[in-house]
Amino acid sequence: MTREDTRLKVFGAAVELIAEQGYSATTVDAIAERAGVAKGTVFYNFGSKEGLFSELLEHSIGRLAGALSSAAVGETALEALDGVVLGQLRFFEEYGPFARVLLAEMWHTAWQEAVARLRERVLGVYAGVLRRAAENGEIRADLDVETAATAVFGMVLTVSIEHRVLHPDRPLTDVHATLVDLMHGRLR
């Protein structure tokens, strides 16, 4: 197993445990046990629990930003926005525990650097598409795109968690269609 494989196993174990019981209650011992590695392996790779969580956030935010950027396609900016929403839904369908970690843990003062990266890299995808839509006359020109980007991201995050926990049998395409209808009605 490569070092990168080990790090990914530890990331997976950490995000699951933190989603289940919170950052404070999650121990390095529990993460190592869940990942099937020695406790020393966690410390060797990350230095500390805080280092692990910081790198976990960086890794996950990067993957999320990449998924949203790849999904931002369409002939119009609104189509690209719809694609970004679907990309976020699909990402959190696959990485549900990370959605719960974002909702519960990201807003603590200790993780402000990670929040700044989330704003820049993830919310930046939404803001860019919304800005383009405003410039093209597809949505209101006076829209505060930064606030709208945060609102749309938060709405999709919350709906993703609810879908995964309460309505896993509901087709993701139906969830997406409802979100798109809501957004289009308010953006125009």
Side-chain angles (χ1 to χ4, degrees), residues 1 39 44 55 65 95 101 103 110 114 119 129 147 150 171:
M1 180 179 302
K39 180 179 177 179
Y44 172 77
E55 288 191 44
Y95 302 104
V101 168
L103 198 60
R119 286 206 57 74
V129 172
T147 300
T150 302

Side-chain angles (χ1 to χ4, degrees), residues 1 26 29-30 35 42 45 58 65 68 75 80 82 88-89 95 98 101 122 129 141-142 154 157 160 171 181:
M1 180 179 302
T26 299
D29 287 328
V42 176
N45 279 278
E58 183 64 34
L68 298 187
E75 288 186 30
D82 297 349
Q88 185 179 343
L89 286 168
Y95 302 104
F98 181 61
V101 168
V122 174
V129 172
D142 66 339
L157 174 63
S160 295
D181 285 346

Side-chain angles (χ1 to χ4, degrees), residues 77 127-142 145:
V129 172
L130 288 165
R131 197 170 290 109
R132 195 175 83 200
E135 290 166 359
N136 295 346
E138 297 174 63
I139 63 173
R140 297 184 358 237
D142 66 339
V145 296

Side-chain angles (χ1 to χ4, degrees), residues 7-93:
R7 289 171 62 85
L8 291 174
K9 279 180 69 170
V10 172
F11 282 156
V15 79
E16 287 173 4
L17 285 165
I18 293 167
E20 291 168 11
Q21 56 196 28
Y23 175 80
S24 295
T26 299
T27 65
V28 172
D29 287 328
I31 293 168
E33 183 179 331
R34 172 92 46 112
V37 301
K39 180 179 177 179
T41 300
V42 176
F43 287 114
Y44 172 77
N45 279 278
F46 304 102
S48 65
K49 178 179 157 183
E50 293 78 15
L52 165 60
F53 191 61
S54 180
E55 288 191 44
L56 168 66
L57 291 175
E58 183 64 34
H59 170 79
S60 300
I61 287 168
R63 290 187 75 167
L64 176 57
L68 298 187
S69 293
S70 296
V73 296
E75 288 186 30
T76 68
L78 274 181
E79 288 174 359
L81 177 63
D82 297 349
V84 173
V85 169
L86 184 57
Q88 185 179 343
L89 286 168
R90 286 182 175 153
F91 184 87
F92 288 136
E93 183 77 8

